[in-house]
Amino acid sequence: MTNASKHLLFLTTIAALLVPTVLRADQPMPPDGFRTTFNGKDLNGWHGLDPHSVAGLTSENQEAKLAQQRTEFSKHWTVENGELVNDGHGHTRTPTRSSAISSF
């Protein structure tokens, strides 16, 4: 291998190692007065909710139904490439902190 080939191989290797570092985006920051509701990594802060199935229930039965929906949530929702993904089944996703949606 010639010196020019070795030099080119060295520079190509260095460039290949630096590209992922250079192309990595900064973490998005919410504007002032807002907060994030999804961390882009896991389902923390989210649960399943079918409000129609709990609307007419007593408080005790409502809590049991909500607990069941939260348990079933992770069976149908996952995080892929920083996005919430549904398999086409299960309940709607809802932020756990009700104040997160109180201004809509």
Side-chain angles (χ1 to χ4, degrees), residues 77-95:
W77 288 90
T78 58
V79 177
E80 296 176 14
N81 300 318
E83 298 176 354
L84 287 169
V85 178
N86 179 254
D87 66 2
H89 304 284
H91 300 296
T92 303
R93 74 212 181 289
T94 303

Side-chain angles (χ1 to χ4, degrees), residues 6 16-17 27-28 31 34 39 49 66 69 75 82 88 91-92 101:
K6 288 180 184 178
L17 293 172
Q27 288 291 340
F34 291 86
N39 66 13
L49 176 64
L66 288 172
Q69 290 178 15
K75 295 177 184 176
H91 300 296
T92 303
I101 57 172

